[in-house]
Amino acid sequence: MDKAKPEIEKKFLIRLDNLDEIKSKYDYSLFDIYQTYLYSNKPDEERRIRQKTQYFDPHWSEEDRDTEYYFTTKTGTGLIRTENETQIILQTYNLLKQFSISDTLHKRRYAFEYLGLTYEIDVYDFWIGFGIMEVELSSELEY
């Protein structure tokens, strides 16, 4: 398993009115993410699996993409939590799905750099006009 690391991130509910402007202004990476939450018997622990496809061509070329699978555990609450993310194989991903406590969510992620930080905008199929923007920080005092 990969080493657990502290994760300090801020999340914002945003309107998507300016998403096209952001995409035209910044170089961005494009991902399709399928995320399923798994059962945990610990109240401060979140477990999930992800299928994450990165498109290297923003025009959705089937040949120009890479799909990876991850198992992630997050513990703690608030701004600072501990995250442990491990890359897994497709067979393990499918096996872990049987411990699902939710439907699988799909989101399209746009990731871009601004002022030395990486911002990620997640757009969900079920949520028209809104998204979640998050930024990972190196310290809780940053921004």
Side-chain angles (χ1 to χ4, degrees):
M1 250 183 154
D2 296 349
K3 187 174 184 206
K5 63 180 172 67
E7 177 186 60
I8 306 167
E9 64 183 11
K10 290 188 178 181
K11 293 185 180 192
F12 306 90
L13 173 64
I14 62 168
R15 293 182 57 101
L16 295 175
D17 300 345
N18 297 330
L19 184 58
D20 287 336
E21 181 182 338
I22 290 170
K23 287 167 33 181
S24 68
K25 196 175 197 178
Y26 300 99
D27 289 331
Y28 65 93
S29 298
L30 180 63
F31 302 90
D32 267 330
I33 298 172
Y34 292 88
Q35 182 166 293
T36 306
Y37 289 92
L38 305 175
Y39 173 77
S40 173
N41 61 356
K42 299 176 184 173
D44 70 337
E45 180 182 72
E46 173 187 294
R47 293 180 180 178
R48 70 172 185 231
I49 52 174
R50 279 187 172 171
Q51 173 186 319
K52 186 176 181 181
T53 300
Q54 181 174 6
Y55 294 90
F56 299 106
D57 175 1
H59 300 290
W60 303 91
S61 168
E62 291 294 318
E63 299 81 35
D64 201 16
R65 66 181 180 176
D66 182 37
T67 299
E68 296 177 338
Y69 302 89
Y70 295 93
F71 171 73
T72 304
T73 302
K74 291 187 179 188
T75 55
T77 58
L79 181 64
I80 303 175
R81 302 191 320 167
T82 300
E83 179 183 78
N84 190 344
E85 183 168 78
T86 303
Q87 190 168 353
I88 58 176
I89 61 174
L90 175 60
Q91 292 83 350
T92 304
Y93 173 84
N94 287 330
L95 181 68
L96 288 172
K97 273 184 136 180
Q98 69 182 314
F99 300 104
S100 166
I101 59 168
S102 70
D103 290 336
T104 297
L105 298 172
H106 170 252
K107 59 185 174 184
R108 179 149 306 136
R109 173 170 286 172
Y110 301 88
F112 63 97
E113 301 288 323
Y114 178 70
L115 296 178
L117 297 172
T118 300
Y119 290 81
E120 297 172 335
I121 297 176
D122 291 338
V123 178
Y124 295 87
D125 294 338
F126 59 84
W127 213 3
I128 306 300
F130 292 93
I132 299 291
M133 182 177 70
E134 69 179 57
V135 58
E136 200 158 318
L137 307 171
S138 56
S139 150
E140 63 184 301
L141 303 175
E142 195 171 17
Y143 292 98

